[in-house]
Amino acid sequence: MSQAFLTGRQTAVSRKPALGLLFALQTSVGTLGNYFLLFHYVSLSLAGDRMRPTDVILRHLTIANSTVILSRGVTQTMATLGVRDFLSDLGCKLVFYLHRVGRGISMGTTCLLSVCQMITISPWTSRWAQHKDRAARNIERYIVLIWTLHLSVNYVILASMTSTLRSKNMTQKQDFGYCSATFKGGIVASLYSALFSVPDALTLGLMLWASGSMVSMLHRQKQQVQHLHRARVTPRAAPETRATQRILVLVSTFVTYYVLSSACHLCIALSKNLSWWMLNFSALLAAYFPTVSPFLLMSRAPGCVGPAVSA
């Protein structure tokens, strides 16, 4: 082991308490934000208010975000503070499985939210008009499909994760501080990569397409409003426009997080000597979108708890 690596490890150890507090703060703030937003939507449902399709989607998004934060935040905090070997083999499998499921559902529901809003604001004369009522009626079926897909696809995670107690004699592994991932080579590795990458790529592409369509619609709407101003006609306030802008901010935040997170995961996968700093930065980044998304939704909806998204 090189002297530079030892020096880096010593520096990292000296800064573990501060990083542990940062993980704890991120976990606490993100969990409270998502639970607050979830409580709002559950209260609406219990009060008998009509749940809009976007309300249903956002309720599942907060559940997925909470799963991501809690599955890695607590364990990463303990590992950073120096607690070792606190998870059993089953615990490691469950933590990483829940994290991957939550991450996938967060991505899928964000994509569904953008597509739903794109259909909502589309002109009644467009080809999407016939899909508006159908999308509203089937929104819960789409969400069940997202949950089923990611609960099934990420099942393979259970085979690759082990606790640090059982993986001490393994040579092909990556140590995450409290759990280890064993490597698989050849065709199996390619199949695993395709299994995880293809759904993500399709979902991300659909999300970007829907966002681009919404930007185009907002641009046309802005031109119409300018025309009304020139004609001295007072334009009617458009709640759909404000809701669409909130969703675009949410989607932009997710895409930024996803690109940076994927780059970190790629660096970790290709690294022979796993960097302590890269590992912890990746863990912080993994909880970034789940932590900030409820506050983005609440802060951009003045006068109410949740976003006034039209459906």
Side-chain angles (χ1 to χ4, degrees):
M1 189 176 293
S2 65
Q3 184 65 33
F5 180 78
L6 289 173
T7 303
R9 292 289 291 184
Q10 291 171 354
T11 304
V13 170
S14 66
R15 297 183 180 180
K16 276 187 175 183
L19 190 58
L21 291 176
L22 182 58
F23 274 116
L25 179 64
Q26 184 187 51
T27 302
S28 302
V29 171
T31 302
L32 288 175
N34 281 285
Y35 279 179
F36 184 72
L37 201 57
L38 178 61
F39 176 76
H40 168 68
Y41 291 118
V42 171
S43 299
L44 290 178
S45 179
L46 294 177
D49 293 347
R50 185 178 67 89
M51 294 293 290
R52 295 163 294 191
T54 46
D55 292 337
V56 178
I57 297 172
L58 288 169
R59 185 172 60 189
H60 284 268
L61 177 61
T62 58
I63 295 173
N65 286 342
S66 300
T67 302
V68 173
I69 294 171
L70 291 175
S71 62
R72 291 289 292 276
V74 176
T75 51
Q76 198 70 39
T77 300
M78 295 177 66
T80 306
L81 292 176
V83 182
R84 301 286 297 182
D85 302 331
F86 56 89
L87 281 179
S88 64
D89 189 52
L90 179 60
C92 281
K93 294 178 185 297
L94 186 61
V95 162
F96 275 81
Y97 176 70
L98 289 176
H99 175 77
R100 288 288 310 186
V101 169
R103 176 181 175 274
I105 294 171
S106 178
M107 184 176 189
T109 50
T110 303
C111 176
L112 183 61
L113 183 66
S114 61
V115 172
C116 181
Q117 188 65 16
M118 185 270 292
I119 296 175
T120 297
I121 67 171
S122 62
W124 284 102
T125 55
S126 75
R127 64 184 182 277
W128 292 107
Q130 59 181 322
H131 298 293
K132 289 186 178 183
D133 292 336
R134 185 185 304 172
R137 290 195 304 268
N138 296 325
I139 201 69
E140 292 190 355
R141 295 180 182 178
Y142 298 146
I143 293 175
V144 169
L145 180 62
I146 291 172
W147 276 92
T148 303
L149 173 64
H150 290 286
L151 286 170
S152 303
V153 167
N154 290 286
Y155 189 77
V156 298
I157 289 291
L158 301 177
S160 60
M161 299 307 305
T162 59
S163 69
T164 52
L165 291 172
R166 290 189 55 183
S167 61
K168 294 184 182 298
N169 296 325
M170 296 181 183
T171 56
Q172 290 185 315
K173 69 182 183 71
Q174 283 183 338
D175 187 4
F176 292 93
Y178 51 92
C179 294
S180 297
T182 56
F183 294 117
K184 296 182 182 295
I187 298 178
V188 176
S190 300
L191 290 175
Y192 276 17
S193 299
L195 188 64
F196 291 126
S197 301
V198 172
D200 282 4
L202 292 175
T203 303
L204 190 64
L206 185 59
M207 191 187 307
L208 292 173
W209 169 74
S211 300
S213 299
M214 285 190 286
V215 170
S216 177
M217 293 176 191
L218 289 179
H219 178 68
R220 289 197 299 269
Q221 185 182 46
K222 182 179 179 181
Q223 290 179 328
Q224 293 172 356
V225 169
Q226 290 174 346
H227 175 73
L228 291 174
H229 275 299
R230 286 195 296 267
R232 295 185 179 181
V233 177
T234 303
R236 185 179 61 179
E240 296 90 349
T241 300
R242 295 192 297 271
T244 303
Q245 290 171 345
R246 285 191 286 272
I247 292 175
L248 286 173
V249 170
L250 189 72
V251 171
S252 299
T253 304
F254 180 87
V255 171
T256 302
Y257 140 80
Y258 182 83
V259 171
L260 292 176
S261 182
S262 297
C264 284
H265 288 151
L266 182 62
C267 291
I268 290 173
L270 297 177
S271 176
K272 294 183 179 179
N273 295 319
L274 192 60
S275 169
W276 187 87
W277 291 108
M278 177 60 71
L279 181 63
N280 285 281
F281 177 72
S282 177
L284 282 171
L285 194 59
Y288 168 71
F289 175 77
T291 299
V292 303
S293 61
F295 299 100
L296 287 175
L297 292 168
M298 289 186 286
S299 65
R300 298 186 66 86
C304 62
V305 178
V309 182
S310 171

